[in-house]
Amino acid sequence: EVQLVQSGGGLVQPGGSLRLSCAASGFTFSFYAMHWVRQAPGKGLEYVSAISTDGAGTYYVNSVRGRFTISRDNSKNTLYLQMGSLRAEDMAVYYCARYSNSAYDYWGQGTLVTVSS
Amino acid sequence: QSALTQPRSVSGSPGQSVTISCSGTRSDVGGHNYVSWYQQHPGKAPKLMIYDVSKRPSGVPDRFSGSKSGNTASLTISGLQTDDEADYYCCSYAGSYTWVFGGGTELTVL
């Protein structure tokens, strides 16, 4: 069974940092690109970042480029999102998602990031 | 990259059909056959319903179908059931390793 189990969310002050993790199981993690998608409270879904199978290619939505870093450890079957210089507008539920056949076929349970002083 | 345009809400009675539109540009919906649709119940993670415009993942009922014409994609749900009541999002590849979602449509089954 494919599972994506997320951890690392929480409360952080504006300007602070946080690292999200997404532990994968039930499939060959290194075969799939992985993405992060977020959803602000009461709002729609937004693509945040993507990473290639080997981690060599990383991509970001303009609003987080330079502040967020996506990475993966294929030996640990884990995806990460290092978030820095956090702003109020970054507050959201963050989902990791497996990217397959040009779509997000499996999603993590989501983790809430609250940015507030 | 602007969000794709979806109606804020649609509704239908059990057994009826509804169609949700997703309008974009030739840079996203019109330029790629990589449109997907997601169902999201309150407090839950999204679930893939349609990929590559019109393909259904295993386990998704054939009551769900997708199509595209020009810069607009559509999701049709036939034989509405109460459990179909949820938010629905379209998503398209927009080139240069960017992806864009629609604003979401709330489906109410009356």
Side-chain angles (χ1 to χ4, degrees):
Chain A
E1 179 193 7
V2 172
Q3 283 196 309
L4 298 172
V5 179
Q6 299 181 225
S7 59
L11 173 65
V12 62
Q13 292 186 340
S17 300
L18 205 59
R19 188 177 84 158
L20 306 183
S21 299
C22 172
S25 61
F27 65 101
T28 305
F29 181 66
S30 61
F31 285 5
Y32 293 87
M34 298 293 295
H35 289 215
W36 289 97
V37 175
R38 68 184 177 184
Q39 186 169 33
K43 302 296 185 182
L45 300 170
E46 180 187 29
Y47 156 75
V48 174
S49 183
I51 189 166
S52 61
T53 55
D54 62 359
T58 57
Y59 314 97
Y60 304 91
V61 68
N62 287 341
S63 60
V64 309
R65 187 174 292 114
R67 301 187 298 120
F68 289 12
T69 301
I70 189 172
S71 62
R72 64 192 296 162
D73 186 335
N74 286 344
S75 68
K76 295 182 178 179
N77 293 337
T78 302
L79 172 73
Y80 304 100
L81 185 67
Q82 179 69 47
M83 303 184 294
S85 301
L86 282 161
R87 307 166 180 167
E89 55 264 36
D90 296 319
M91 185 162 65
V93 173
Y94 285 73
Y95 294 99
C96 61
R98 190 177 84 168
Y99 190 70
S100 177
N101 291 322
S102 306
Y104 303 110
D105 62 348
Y106 287 94
W107 297 66
Q109 82 276 19
T111 186
L112 177 62
V113 173
T114 302
V115 183
S116 175
S117 54
Chain B
Q1 185 67 47
S2 299
L4 306 175
T5 301
Q6 297 181 233
R8 292 289 295 269
S9 63
V10 297
S11 62
S13 300
Q16 288 186 333
S17 295
V18 295
T19 296
I20 300 171
S21 60
C22 170
S23 296
T25 69
R26 60 184 177 182
S27 296
D28 38 62
V29 174
H32 309 277
N33 286 324
Y34 300 140
V35 176
S36 51
W37 289 89
Y38 302 87
Q39 176 192 66
Q40 186 180 36
H41 286 108
K44 301 294 187 181
K47 174 187 176 183
L48 176 65
M49 305 304 285
I50 295 288
Y51 67 99
D52 288 354
V53 175
S54 60
K55 298 176 182 176
R56 272 189 316 277
S58 173
V60 172
D62 59 6
R63 301 186 296 105
F64 292 83
S65 62
S67 63
K68 190 184 86 167
S69 178
N71 297 337
T72 300
S74 298
L75 173 71
T76 297
I77 309 170
S78 59
L80 273 176
Q81 300 179 0
T82 54
D83 190 52
D84 297 335
E85 187 163 291
D87 293 329
Y88 290 84
Y89 294 90
C90 61
C91 179
S92 175
Y93 180 62
S96 301
Y97 296 99
T98 60
W99 287 262
V100 61
F101 283 90
T105 298
E106 180 181 20
L107 169 63
T108 301
V109 181
L110 304 168

